[in-house]
Amino acid sequence: MSLVHLLLFFGLVIAASSSPGSRLILREIADQKDRAVELNTSNFDSVLKDTPAKYAVVEFFAHWCPACRNYKPHYEKVARLFNGPDAIHPGIVLMTRVDCALKTNTKLCDKFSVSHYPMLFWGPPTKFVSATWEPKKDKSEILVIDDGRTAERLLNWINKQIDSSYALDGQKFENEHALSNLTDYNQISQAVYDVEEATAEAFDIILVQKAIKSSETSASFIRFIQLLAAHHLSRRCRKGAAEILVNYDDLCPSGNCSYEKSGGKDTLGNFPICGKDVPRGYYMFCRGSKNDTRGFSCGLWVLMHSLSVRVEDGESHFAFTAICDFVNNFFMCDECRLHFNDMCLSVKTPFKKARDFVLWVWSTHNKVNERLMKDEASLGTGDPKFPKIIWPPKELCPLCYLSSNQKSIEWDHDHVYNFLKNYYGSKLVSLYKEKSVIGSKEETVPATEDLTVATSALVVPIGAALAIAIASCAFGALACYWRTQQKNRKPRRSWN
């Protein structure tokens, strides 16, 4: 170590020891990852367009600016309230920063007439997309934060804007924004982003575990990805699933997959299934009052329900098989996996109607909840704010109940089916349709035009399975891209 580095090191130590406050700030910086999202010219519009947050703060700064460096701990202190997996109030405010000292960001900073560093802006995230700001611009929904020089003052400014009372020393988040989700019909619309989160997390688990280890697991993976490419409610997850299918022969030749994220393109790790900005690290509708409750498992159930209500009659048994095999091969909770597999094996007759599949997913979920209710009650391991219940409760669907008592419930299955179709269908996607996160249902309408697909993908039935994945240019730009990719591939021997 050089003398200069030694002096710098001891200078930091002395500065840190000079006061409890400075020691605390240094320890926080050393121990925690930055929570403010770094934006630049290439991702500015996409991140702000796709965020589930209702508001955004954008800090324009320069990395060489001493005032900016001194301000960062204050900004991060507020960012940790709203951003990241340990956020106390996730999904409310997206805290971001743009480094104007980077030449690639010069035009972006110019668009917002940045006149000093740091300079903070506030507004609905979508209002920043393709936007400009000028000092004398009237009626702009983008505001300059004129009183945010410390963490306390910045949070006070935010509280005034949204009529809240958040505190820097607030208690750990207890899902205060979804406490009524058991009886509030509109809460499910928050789960759109949870479905994306769970999809990406499930895919990441496969990458970490290197779980595609045989022709059986490879076939299971492909069937599930085909189902997602056709019927996932998120446009970006459908696109990501389709890109994996297009390239699967190269990513997993003979079922031997390459998982690492590298500079090249020929690894599964380089194909994020729902885009590079997902997973975000937190749940909204599915967030538990404790870190180890709800979250991923809740998101997977919402995903399965949403898939069930989107398939057609001819696709229902394929969807059932795809989900059952996926859980059996890739869900890492062994006891949960075995219980789910037993319920799958109990189905002796193939599904012919989508209605029957929708009701099977619903009844299976209730059976799981019923079993977990007993386990959690005896062990005290449940979420105190979200105890397991039989779904749907009467508050949400009184017509679903013919009769009920403490021992049994008699259901009106027609009303249950209609409730599930609307709740996990149109109501689930209602809130964020305008952001184009969802995309249109027409994109997934099956067509009959034959289409060559990756060789390994032909382990599924030809009819519905291939048709639902993609078909003709009527499927949209994604289908055209798929066709172009496949026509450019070298001919391969198809499966018999």
Side-chain angles (χ1 to χ4, degrees):
M1 182 180 291
S2 70
L3 178 60
V4 172
H5 288 118
L6 280 171
L7 289 172
L8 286 173
F9 172 77
F10 285 117
L12 284 173
V13 171
I14 293 169
S17 62
S18 61
S19 70
S22 59
R23 286 199 300 273
L24 178 61
I25 289 173
L26 285 175
R27 186 163 63 249
E28 286 180 349
I29 294 173
D31 292 346
Q32 298 191 24
K33 180 182 177 182
D34 289 349
R35 292 305 181 208
V37 178
E38 296 284 346
L39 299 181
N40 54 52
T41 299
S42 62
N43 70 0
F44 187 86
D45 284 354
S46 62
V47 170
L48 290 165
K49 177 182 178 182
D50 294 339
T51 178
K54 297 177 182 179
Y55 307 98
V57 177
V58 181
E59 178 201 7
F60 290 95
F61 75 104
H63 62 257
W64 48 258
C65 166
C68 298
R69 292 197 296 269
N70 293 336
Y71 182 66
K72 182 177 179 181
H74 293 279
Y75 194 72
E76 281 294 320
K77 199 170 183 180
V78 177
R80 289 182 186 122
L81 295 177
F82 302 109
N83 291 14
D86 299 321
I88 298 175
H89 311 287
I92 306 299
V93 181
L94 178 69
M95 304 287 292
T96 68
R97 25 196 353 247
V98 176
D99 188 354
C100 294
L102 300 179
K103 291 183 178 180
T104 53
N105 294 332
T106 299
K107 290 184 178 180
L108 175 60
C109 297
D110 288 345
K111 285 173 62 177
F112 287 87
S113 305
V114 176
S115 58
H116 58 273
Y117 304 130
M119 190 172 183
L120 277 62
F121 291 86
W122 165 274
T126 54
K127 298 302 179 181
F128 285 93
V129 177
S130 301
T132 60
W133 181 88
E134 297 175 4
K136 297 181 180 180
K137 192 172 183 179
D138 295 329
K139 298 181 181 180
S140 174
E141 291 188 61
I142 298 175
L143 305 177
V144 173
I145 299 177
D146 54 6
D147 188 18
R149 294 180 62 185
T150 66
E152 291 78 8
R153 291 166 68 171
L154 175 58
L155 186 57
N156 286 339
W157 194 96
I158 292 173
N159 281 332
K160 290 178 182 178
Q161 294 299 313
I162 60 179
D163 194 25
S164 59
S165 56
Y166 300 135
L168 292 174
D169 57 353
Q171 296 299 308
K172 187 62 184 173
F173 179 67
E174 292 189 354
N175 222 346
E176 70 262 40
H177 305 291
L179 284 177
S180 61
N181 72 350
L182 298 183
T183 56
D184 185 347
Y185 189 74
N186 294 312
Q187 286 285 347
I188 189 62
S189 61
Q190 297 285 331
V192 168
Y193 292 97
D194 291 357
V195 172
E196 290 184 324
E197 193 77 10
T199 304
E201 191 168 344
F203 187 69
D204 285 349
I205 290 172
I206 292 174
L207 296 180
V208 171
Q209 298 292 330
K210 299 183 177 180
I212 304 173
K213 300 176 179 178
S214 65
S215 58
E216 178 187 354
T217 53
S218 179
S220 170
F221 177 77
I222 288 170
R223 279 192 292 268
F224 192 69
I225 296 299
Q226 282 188 317
L227 181 61
L228 300 186
H231 292 303
H232 200 290
L233 54 80
S234 164
R235 180 197 305 273
R236 53 181 159 235
C237 295
R238 291 197 301 270
K239 180 177 183 293
E243 288 176 345
I244 290 171
L245 287 175
V246 166
N247 293 279
Y248 191 78
D249 281 347
D250 296 327
L251 301 174
C252 300
S254 303
N256 297 316
C257 299
S258 179
Y259 300 92
E260 291 75 16
K261 296 180 181 180
S262 64
K265 289 282 287 184
D266 293 335
T267 71
L268 275 178
N270 286 328
F271 284 81
I273 193 164
C274 292
K276 62 181 180 179
D277 297 318
V278 182
R280 303 173 185 87
Y282 62 85
Y283 288 86
M284 295 179 66
F285 174 83
C286 285
R287 189 176 180 90
S289 65
K290 301 191 295 185
N291 282 343
D292 57 353
T293 59
R294 304 187 83 223
F296 177 52
S297 58
C298 169
L300 279 183
W301 276 116
V302 179
L303 171 62
M304 287 190 282
H305 285 295
S306 68
L307 290 170
S308 74
V309 302
R310 291 171 71 86
V311 300
E312 306 295 338
D313 286 345
E315 307 160 353
S316 56
H317 199 72
F318 169 78
F320 162 76
T321 303
I323 288 175
C324 285
D325 288 350
F326 185 82
V327 172
N328 188 46
N329 285 301
F330 301 114
F331 196 66
M332 296 303 168
C333 172
D334 200 47
E335 183 179 356
C336 308
R337 178 183 64 80
L338 292 173
H339 279 292
F340 194 89
N341 190 50
D342 286 343
M343 289 184 283
C344 290
L345 293 175
S346 69
V347 177
K348 304 301 182 184
T349 304
F351 290 107
K352 295 182 180 179
K353 296 290 185 179
R355 177 184 185 275
D356 296 334
F357 177 51
V358 171
L359 292 174
W360 180 85
V361 174
W362 161 74
S363 64
T364 298
H365 194 176
N366 272 339
K367 289 175 183 177
V368 171
N369 276 357
E370 195 170 9
R371 176 176 61 84
L372 291 177
M373 274 192 287
K374 298 175 182 177
D375 294 343
E376 293 177 355
S378 62
L379 298 171
T381 55
D383 191 318
K385 298 290 186 181
F386 299 92
K388 296 290 188 294
I389 65 169
I390 299 302
W391 188 262
K394 281 188 176 180
E395 294 87 346
L396 277 182
C397 187
L399 295 177
C400 292
Y401 289 73
L402 291 174
S403 65
S404 64
N405 54 52
Q406 291 183 344
K407 293 184 178 180
S408 64
I409 299 173
E410 185 180 358
W411 298 97
D412 184 320
H413 287 98
D414 288 335
H415 278 113
V416 171
Y417 173 68
N418 290 333
F419 168 82
L420 295 170
K421 281 283 289 184
N422 189 52
Y423 190 74
Y424 292 108
S426 58
K427 179 55 65 174
L428 175 57
V429 304
S430 61
L431 185 59
Y432 296 113
K433 234 176 182 179
E434 68 275 11
K435 288 188 176 184
S436 299
V437 173
I438 308 304
S440 62
K441 174 68 175 171
E442 286 70 22
E443 288 179 347
T444 61
V445 174
T448 56
E449 180 181 339
D450 186 31
L451 182 65
T452 304
V453 298
T455 305
S456 303
L458 291 176
V459 297
V460 297
I462 293 294
L466 293 184
I468 64 174
I470 48 170
S472 69
C473 287
F475 184 84
L478 177 57
C480 296
Y481 168 75
W482 187 312
R483 287 177 56 80
T484 302
Q485 291 289 309
Q486 292 301 327
K487 287 179 179 179
N488 291 336
R489 296 173 72 90
K490 294 180 180 179
R492 297 176 181 264
R493 179 178 60 85
S494 63
W495 287 47
N496 293 323

